[in-house]
Amino acid sequence: MSTTIGAGTRIYPGPTLPSGRDEGKLARIEYELPRIRDDHTLGDREGGGGRASRGHTNVELAKQRARDRMAAARRELEQLEASAKQRRLARADSFRVALVGYTNAGKSSIMCQLTGSDVLVEDRPFATLGTTVRQLSPPATPAVLVADTVGFIHRLPHALVASFHSTLSEAREAWLLLHVVDAADPAFRSQIRVTEQVLADIGAAETPALLLLNKADRLGREERDALAREHPGALLMSALDHRDGDALRARIDAFFAQHLVEQTVSIPYDRHGVLAELRDRLQVVREEYGDEVSVTVRGTPEALGKLASRLSGG
């Protein structure tokens, strides 16, 4: 894809993870650097460079300052990415959902609906610049984590894709994508194609996705019926309607139920710590008490593998 953001576009940073802020800062500098032009209000030249030199132009100095800021931002990102990787590994055995879609489609409002958290909700592009991760509310067992990602735009720059590494990693590593669309926007079909192209560019094209036709409350009955026929697998909804939020939660629960594996394990009575962890992280189907506690649980293969390793470790 070609690389451009409309001239004069402002990016509004919201409350994000530290890596999201620094990625946004780096992205802005990378975008601005080739567009730096001479500022004649500061004079043609600035002194320096010795007797044989006429000094540096304003554009040269501005570009050097931008390069210095880029270098500092990259150093900060290298440090932050290491800790972000550890956070992702720590929740690797949790179910993970990522909200994706064109900017200003209503992802943050749906995030609030699903998690009960207070995240930035503003009706303007790039209100969410980084990644916010919250647990589904009420909590599910196993845990379901929901990530709100940066909004996509038409012809998203390759440099921007690279810079938003953490937020796009959430989309790439998710079990399920919630593709949020502003169904009341006349251009929503082209915006769907933009999002699908970006997902393909970052290697997430094969991840299961549920299309959410948001802001359906702004449509008439005939328009809603036509959209339901056009996208039979989609969910027509409004992020402001709690009944639609309940319907979305039911779809998420049904999706993850397919991925649970049932297993029976025996736990000695003196391993009460393991039993408590099991009840916290897995769905307990039944418990039977004899010489040991026989527990039938349902969970992800990864979580069951950790449980088996814990029990065999003595």
Side-chain angles (χ1 to χ4, degrees), residues 147-253:
D148 185 15
T149 65
V150 65
F152 300 156
I153 58 171
H154 181 49
R155 299 193 301 187
L156 186 68
H158 284 296
L160 212 55
V161 171
S163 295
F164 289 133
H165 177 74
S166 288
T167 188
L168 296 175
S169 290
E170 295 294 342
R172 188 166 50 247
E173 298 170 10
W175 292 59
L176 174 66
L177 300 177
L178 300 180
H179 182 171
V180 185
V181 175
D182 179 357
D185 190 323
F188 82 87
R189 291 175 182 82
S190 65
Q191 293 170 3
I192 289 176
R193 291 192 293 271
V194 168
T195 299
E196 290 174 343
Q197 182 59 58
V198 173
L199 292 172
D201 288 349
I202 66 173
E206 302 304 318
T207 303
L210 172 60
L211 184 65
L212 305 182
L213 297 173
N214 191 33
K215 306 184 185 181
D217 54 314
R218 301 181 182 181
L219 303 175
R221 170 63 64 180
E222 291 184 1
E223 292 175 298
R224 291 169 62 96
D225 291 344
L227 280 178
R229 291 191 297 271
E230 183 180 351
H231 301 281
L235 179 63
L236 270 76
M237 66 173 294
S238 167
L240 306 179
D241 191 326
H242 288 286
R243 293 170 299 179
D244 291 343
D246 292 342
L248 174 56
R249 170 65 186 258
R251 295 282 286 269
I252 293 172
D253 289 342

Side-chain angles (χ1 to χ4, degrees), residues 30-84:
E30 288 177 336
Y31 173 73
E32 293 166 359
L33 180 60
R35 293 163 176 79
I36 294 174
R37 298 291 184 269
D38 282 307
D39 185 351
H40 296 293
T41 64
L42 301 177
D44 291 335
R45 302 266 170 176
E46 293 193 12
R51 294 178 60 187
S53 173
R54 295 183 55 216
H56 302 287
T57 66
N58 289 316
V59 69
E60 289 169 343
L61 292 168
K63 286 187 174 183
Q64 185 57 53
R65 286 192 293 267
R67 292 189 190 98
D68 291 342
R69 285 158 47 213
M70 285 174 60
R74 287 198 177 100
R75 286 193 296 271
E76 292 174 13
L77 278 175
E78 288 174 1
Q79 298 171 356
L80 291 167
E81 182 55 32
S83 60

